Amino acid sequence: MKKICFYAFCSLFLFGAQNSLAQTTDGVDSFKQDKDSWRRKEEQVSQDTKKEIVQKIKDTVSVHALNNITDAEQIFCYTVEKASKEYSGYTLDGMAITGFCGMLGQNDKDIFIGEFLQKDESTSNVVAKCMIEPKIMLRFVKGVDYTDVLLSSPCHSFSIFYGGKVKPFNAEPSANIINAFVTVYDKQKVDFVSPALLNQVMPIGVAQTQEQKAILKEKQGNAPVRKWDTQAPAQQPTQEKSAVKKGWNRLKR
């Protein structure tokens, strides 16, 4: 068991190091990335992501919430803690944001899904006798929709937030994996800077630059984005030669 946990921790450390924010100087630079990083090519998708999510999670979490996780185009990491009534700073799902801890790459995403969503033994049906201790919040973004997942330690659990609802899972059996995630990403924490304040939030869904248009064309092929723009106009019905005279008071015979 120790070997398995050590391997998981080392894997997370190596993968996390690749996504490290050491090369950045502040929260603004943290959002910079390679222009091709969002692409999900077939060769990049792990076989693990094709496995089924365990039934007890599928039965209690919205399919849309789970699709945001498995098909996420970006995954943002935030460090969080409980927010007091007097707290007036930035919050996420009612918790105080204490920092930005980077973005998860494909490898760490596969580890998360494989360990927490696809292994029945990773969670326990026993009600935990402890209070959730917020540490890391992962935001899985797909389009303009998103699902948040809170990692708690030392009361080991993960909670899925979606559509105003939250579903917690006792993850004591996978405590070492949670601790590994928390340890690796907490070390990458930098001060949080509001993306809205910096005009970095633009969920408009329209290609505005030539580079964005090229990406869109490559991803969607030659199919038009708005198909109704290319639809042929509806043909007007031809009038019959024996049509009756027009008039609002004419009866149809």
Side-chain angles (χ1 to χ4, degrees), residues 16 21 23 52 64 131 146 153 156 163-164 169 180 182 190 209 234:
L21 305 183
Q23 59 184 355
E52 283 292 325
H64 303 297
M131 297 294 291
Y146 61 86
S153 177
H156 299 98
F169 294 91
V182 171
V190 297
T209 66

Side-chain angles (χ1 to χ4, degrees), residues 31 33 38 62 76 109 121 127 130 133 137 153 215 218:
F31 288 90
Q33 57 181 318
W38 66 275
S62 161
F76 298 99
K109 174 187 174 182
E121 64 272 18
V127 178
C130 59
E133 295 290 339
M137 183 73 79
S153 177
I215 291 174
E218 178 183 343

Side-chain angles (χ1 to χ4, degrees), residues 29 33 44 50 53 71 78 84 87 104 114 116 126 133 138 143 148-149 156 172 179 182 197 218 220 230 246 252:
D29 289 338
Q33 57 181 318
Q44 294 176 327
K50 298 179 181 179
I53 294 176
D71 299 334
Y78 304 92
S84 64
Y87 180 78
L104 273 68
F116 297 123
V126 177
E133 295 290 339
L138 301 176
D148 292 337
V149 179
H156 299 98
E172 187 60 35
N179 288 339
V182 171
L197 182 66
E218 178 183 343
Q220 296 187 341
T230 60
K246 296 180 179 179
K252 191 172 182 179

